[in-house]
Amino acid sequence: MPQDHAQHVDPGSGRSDVANGAPLSLDPADWDEFRRLAHRALDETIDRLATVRDRPVWQPAPREVRSRFRESLPQAPRPLDAVLDEFAAFIEPYGNGNGHPLFMGWVHGAGTPVGMVAEMLAAGLNANCGGRNHIAIDVERQIAAWAAQMFGFPVNASGIFVTGTSAANLVGLLVARSAALGDGVRQLGLRAGAGQLSAYASAQAHGCIVRAAEIAGIGSRHLRLVPVEASGAMRVDLLERSIAEDRAGGLRPFLVVGTAGTVNTGAFDDLSALAELCRRESLWFHVDGAFGALCALAPSLRPLLAGIERAHSVAFDFHKWAHVPYDAGFVLVRDPDLHRRTFSHAEAYLHRAPGGLAAGEVWPCDLGPDLSRGFRALKTWFTFRVFGAERIGAAIEHNCRVARYLADRLGDSDLFEVAAPVALNIVCFGLRISGDGALNKTIVLDLHERGAAAPSTTVLDGRTVIRAAIVNHRTTAADMDAFLAALQVSALRVLGRGARPEAVRQAG
Ligand SMILES: Cc1ncc(COP(=O)(O)O)c(C=O)c1O
């Protein structure tokens, strides 16, 4: 239990006032002591990262711990070592768990120790990457150029970091809106444009596409969710029919969103076919490649992305399959001028100078909704500098082999069956006997509560299934053996409990 050190604080330390001219600085009064404590924090973080495998995947924060985070605004100072103690006792043990090799829920990157160091360096620089003439802007531009190289885009394509692919998809959709209606839509609003816009994505597209259509004023009713093949890929014939019907009905089709790696099963739309259709129909072609786009780094998986080089925009995350620490979403746009015209404003206080700190023609704030922005590019730059693209691609390929291994072992199981084709790194499966999947939900809950493993669930064909997304660079085939053993234990516990349906209902 950390002790309360507040009473040892000298309220006058490091302080002064306007009368004697010294600043009321937030710097440490004793830099040597600060250095010692900062080293302590770094050492403890490295220890935690090095031993992540030995700890539970996840554990719930006890009530007493949660209640600490309802205390009121601290008024008095507190020594850094006391706050580090609080972090170690009350925050660190109750994290998301996504560093652990048996975390397989949703689609979470695992982070790396290198990324952690880069985050610390970025915080030390404390750069504001909204714009201006400093090197962080060049680093971000270099990441855009690397992304262009990865996807076969022109070298002058423009791109920026955003929080995640949800925001990146929204940016792509807004640029597509400018392409359809002209950037005058920003001043005049949607009703000034001729006709109601309509957009298209697969029924397996991520929910953020629906939200983006809502936020951009298109209206989710005008986003057509086109049925998919058994593989999970969008039915291009039905897409074409839907576009034709909408045109005949007086709508104005403007955008097709292809998915490279669906969140449910990791399926890929046929991006070449979508690119060709968009060319024929004069539609904007946007790719949501949240995690799948980074298959561009994996030689054996790269063919899945054929056609991405013809997209108008691509949204993806470095924080997923490149393991850059959260958050590091990115959007790349083929037409840099249109990208800028969709967002830039000419406020006096953001005036560009011919030289000095306010120099530079296009600033990141001209390419998205944010003005103040952190230095997300640095942790991404470090990740690629240190590991190289080939090693990141190899880790992606390894995840897919591990997923295949899990699917094969599940195929031999008496208890479980695989519920969807394994296109990539996501294995959906469930109990052979489970009707609507309620028991699958309860098994996942049991795995989480025991801290044994953290898959998530999804619904396929109306049935809840267990979903293991193998994203972590630490995860091995031996971890899958441990996962199968943990699954067996949870399944037997749940099936034992299954005699009491109320327990299952409660858990579900
Ligand atoms: C296909 C797809 N698109 C979009 C997203 C949203 O990405 P983010 O959580 O970074 O906003 C995800 C998240 O898993 C995804 O899998």
Side-chain angles (χ1 to χ4, degrees), residues 1-38:
M1 237 351 166
Q3 293 166 5
D4 189 346
H5 294 247
Q7 68 270 28
H8 305 307
V9 170
D10 168 14
S13 68
R15 290 182 171 213
S16 186
D17 59 28
V18 179
N20 65 20
L24 190 63
S25 170
L26 300 178
D27 278 340
D30 178 347
W31 282 98
D32 287 336
E33 173 65 355
F34 176 78
R35 184 186 306 278
R36 187 183 68 74
L37 293 173

Side-chain angles (χ1 to χ4, degrees), residues 106-108 163-167 169 204-209 211 259-264 288-291 317 319-320 326 329 467:
W106 305 276
V107 185
H108 280 37
T163 43
T165 295
S166 303
N169 281 326
Q204 288 291 320
H206 194 267
C208 66
I209 304 293
R211 280 203 298 277
T259 303
T262 58
V263 63
N264 270 339
D288 174 357
F291 62 102
D317 284 322
H319 59 223
K320 290 192 165 79
Y326 282 87
R467 177 178 163 287

Side-chain angles (χ1 to χ4, degrees), residues 403-460:
R404 196 60 268 157
Y405 174 80
L406 173 63
D408 289 348
R409 295 252 358 235
L410 286 165
D412 299 336
S413 154
D414 293 334
L415 268 178
F416 294 101
E417 62 187 357
V418 174
V422 178
L424 205 62
N425 64 325
I426 298 177
V427 185
C428 291
F429 63 98
L431 281 174
R432 286 183 187 276
I433 56 153
S434 177
D436 64 353
L439 292 175
N440 292 332
K441 239 190 229 181
T442 316
I443 288 172
V444 169
L445 186 76
D446 189 67
L447 287 166
H448 289 189
E449 295 280 345
R450 292 196 295 124
S456 56
T457 60
T458 192
V459 176
L460 295 180

Side-chain angles (χ1 to χ4, degrees), residues 176-212:
R177 199 184 69 168
S178 292
L181 300 180
D183 48 281
V185 64
R186 297 171 58 192
Q187 291 81 40
L188 302 172
L190 284 170
R191 293 187 68 183
Q196 169 64 53
L197 296 179
S198 59
Y200 306 81
S202 96
Q204 288 291 320
H206 194 267
C208 66
I209 304 293
V210 177
R211 280 203 298 277

Side-chain angles (χ1 to χ4, degrees), residues 149-480:
Q149 188 182 336
M150 281 190 315
F151 303 133
F153 267 45
V155 283
N156 72 336
S158 72
I160 52 158
F161 278 95
V162 287
T163 43
T165 295
S166 303
N169 281 326
L170 175 61
V171 169
L173 200 136
L174 291 169
V175 185
R177 199 184 69 168
S178 292
L181 300 180
D183 48 281
V185 64
R186 297 171 58 192
Q187 291 81 40
L188 302 172
L190 284 170
R191 293 187 68 183
Q196 169 64 53
L197 296 179
S198 59
Y200 306 81
S202 96
Q204 288 291 320
H206 194 267
C208 66
I209 304 293
V210 177
R211 280 203 298 277
E214 290 170 357
I215 297 168
I218 309 304
S220 41
R221 273 217 197 158
H222 305 114
L223 172 70
R224 310 291 185 217
L225 297 178
V226 179
V228 295
E229 324 254 3
S231 67
M234 180 164 21
R235 290 266 311 261
V236 182
D237 56 334
L238 296 185
L239 167 65
E240 202 164 1
R241 192 189 301 167
S242 183
I243 292 168
E245 282 169 5
D246 282 344
R247 282 201 204 285
L251 294 187
R252 196 168 161 187
F254 82 112
L255 163 75
V256 173
V257 178
T259 303
T262 58
V263 63
N264 270 339
T265 65
F268 279 68
D269 287 341
D270 181 342
L271 303 183
S272 283
L274 298 185
E276 186 48 31
L277 180 71
C278 287
R279 187 196 61 76
R280 271 202 321 272
E281 298 274 350
S282 301
L283 303 177
W284 186 273
F285 178 34
H286 174 80
V287 175
D288 174 357
F291 62 102
L294 284 183
C295 289
L297 305 178
S300 64
L301 302 171
R302 203 185 152 87
L304 292 168
L305 288 167
I308 198 169
E309 70 286 353
R310 296 174 65 189
H312 294 98
S313 50
V314 178
F316 66 102
D317 284 322
F318 286 109
H319 59 223
K320 290 192 165 79
W321 242 346
H323 304 294
V324 171
Y326 282 87
D327 48 35
F330 204 84
V331 57
L332 187 70
V333 179
R334 176 178 298 273
D335 180 341
D337 189 47
L338 186 64
H339 189 183
R340 186 185 51 75
R341 282 190 282 114
T342 301
F343 292 100
S344 71
H345 259 278
E347 291 97 342
Y349 45 85
L350 295 176
H351 168 73
R352 314 295 146 95
L357 189 51
E361 210 176 307
V362 180
W363 290 355
C365 66
D366 299 323
L367 303 175
D370 297 315
L371 178 54
S372 291
R373 308 165 67 247
F375 194 2
R376 295 181 179 112
L378 188 69
K379 55 194 173 180
T380 310
W381 186 85
F382 258 84
T383 299
F384 279 90
R385 291 303 282 175
V386 171
F387 298 113
E390 282 179 15
R391 178 138 171 226
I392 296 168
I396 290 172
E397 282 173 338
H398 182 249
N399 284 160
C400 296
R401 283 198 299 278
V402 171
R404 196 60 268 157
Y405 174 80
L406 173 63
D408 289 348
R409 295 252 358 235
L410 286 165
D412 299 336
S413 154
D414 293 334
L415 268 178
F416 294 101
E417 62 187 357
V418 174
V422 178
L424 205 62
N425 64 325
I426 298 177
V427 185
C428 291
F429 63 98
L431 281 174
R432 286 183 187 276
I433 56 153
S434 177
D436 64 353
L439 292 175
N440 292 332
K441 239 190 229 181
T442 316
I443 288 172
V444 169
L445 186 76
D446 189 67
L447 287 166
H448 289 189
E449 295 280 345
R450 292 196 295 124
S456 56
T457 60
T458 192
V459 176
L460 295 180
D461 298 326
R463 174 185 174 218
T464 299
V465 294
I466 302 170
R467 177 178 163 287
I470 322 282
V471 184
N472 194 325
H473 54 90
R474 301 180 177 107
T475 307
T476 62
D479 288 314
M480 291 304 99

